Amino acid sequence: VQLQASGGGLVQPGGSLSLSCAASESTTSMGWYRQVPGKQRELVAAIARVGTTKYGDSVKGRFTISRDSAKTTMYLQMNSLKLEDTAVYYCYTKPHWDVPFWDVASRNVVWGQGTQVTVSS
């Protein structure tokens, strides 16, 4: 499977942005991580095959993850963006049996190329 992330850009604090991650085939577990240079990557949001979701503490209540019924495209709606949301956002997918669905430490994880999100006034 191959993943293509899109939708990043520049937005002012308090604004909104939507990211997409298109897969070359139907997927199971999917999610988003983000990374800032010099810092560890951070879970943003993940969604399991059955639709269960998990969010990083810093984005709860502001971001919403979803996917289409064919499970080939995942979305991340980001509202009330803050300066600290600035990062490169990476989407991933992995098999449904590789649990927990939000953990990306295993060799089964496939990553997209990343998309830059910059929140700045």
Side-chain angles (χ1 to χ4, degrees), residues 39-50:
K39 293 188 177 181
Q40 280 193 326
R41 65 187 171 194
E42 174 189 22
L43 170 68
V44 178
I47 185 166
R49 181 180 61 169
V50 296

Side-chain angles (χ1 to χ4, degrees), residues 28-40:
T28 52
S29 301
M30 294 188 79
W32 297 91
Y33 271 71
R34 66 187 183 188
Q35 189 160 27
V36 176
K39 293 188 177 181
Q40 280 193 326

